[in-house]
Amino acid sequence: MRRGEKGIFIVMAIIVGAAMVKRMVENESVNTARDREIPFYTTFSKAENEKALDLIRDNHCKECHSLWGGAATMMQSVPAPRLDGIGSIRDEKWFYAYLSSSDPQSILPSRMKPEFRMPSYAKIPDSDRQEIAKYLSSLKVKNWYLMDTRKAEYEKLTGKEFHP
């Protein structure tokens, strides 16, 4: 490598390195600001939350739905709505009826192929359905983010663009 080429290479490496450091610093400050304003929350206590999350896990809800920004599984490429903030859209009575229905699509139609549609949870114990319904209704979203939550659920369920 010639002396001039070496100099150009070093200058380019410094410029690229500086750009990478600048981007990392900017991303860190954006993430910190965004994290302070996470719009989703639950009205459940920590103990209630843990019990409900055990039921969510035991009934395999997170195989299709995401919650608390959890890592997506392969199944989450199907249009199952996120559960974050869902309690601001529907109430406990609605969730209980939906989970208790032998045909959930009669309550909330799905565009998915039959093998990927929401299964009936009518056969799980009534107390578990009540607890899951209560938990789902506790998953709230701050008012400033409610329209985005409605939009996300509508577009996942219908595959159409949301127009309020």
Side-chain angles (χ1 to χ4, degrees):
M1 188 180 276
R2 295 182 182 158
R3 198 175 353 154
E5 292 172 340
K6 199 177 210 180
I8 291 172
F9 179 73
I10 291 171
V11 169
M12 287 177 52
I14 291 170
I15 291 171
V16 170
M20 289 174 61
V21 168
K22 180 182 178 214
R23 185 175 180 114
M24 286 180 4
V25 169
E26 287 173 352
N27 282 345
E28 185 61 35
S29 65
V30 168
N31 289 341
T32 303
R34 184 185 66 224
D35 287 348
R36 274 187 247 141
E37 302 219 17
I38 293 174
F40 306 111
Y41 63 97
T42 180
T43 57
F44 264 24
S45 70
K46 185 174 181 173
E48 290 174 312
N49 193 51
E50 288 175 11
K51 180 181 174 188
L53 286 174
D54 286 343
L55 285 171
I56 296 286
R57 185 191 63 246
D58 294 346
N59 288 289
H60 310 286
C61 302
K62 290 177 83 173
E63 288 182 11
C64 297
H65 297 278
S66 63
L67 178 62
W68 305 123
T73 66
M74 188 169 81
M75 287 299 291
Q76 286 176 333
S77 62
V78 298
R82 291 178 54 123
L83 299 179
D84 297 328
I86 199 79
S88 292
I89 298 173
R90 307 196 188 286
D91 63 13
E92 183 179 342
K93 183 179 176 183
W94 186 94
F95 284 118
Y96 180 76
Y98 186 65
L99 294 169
S100 299
S101 174
S102 60
D103 180 22
Q105 281 67 46
S106 65
I107 295 174
L108 186 63
S110 173
R111 67 186 173 111
M112 294 190 295
K113 294 179 181 179
E115 62 267 23
F116 297 117
R117 290 184 183 158
M118 177 73 174
S120 172
Y121 285 93
K123 293 182 181 178
I124 69 171
D126 186 62
S127 61
D128 287 356
R129 277 183 279 132
Q130 288 177 343
E131 187 67 26
I132 293 171
K134 185 177 176 184
Y135 180 67
L136 292 174
S137 68
S138 84
L139 299 174
K140 304 295 185 181
V141 64
K142 294 181 181 177
N143 287 339
W144 59 267
Y145 201 74
L146 182 57
M147 190 57 69
D148 290 333
T149 302
R150 290 180 196 268
K151 177 182 185 287
E153 184 195 39
Y154 178 84
E155 290 179 354
K156 279 270 192 170
L157 290 170
T158 66
K160 299 174 184 171
E161 190 173 332
F162 179 75
H163 299 287

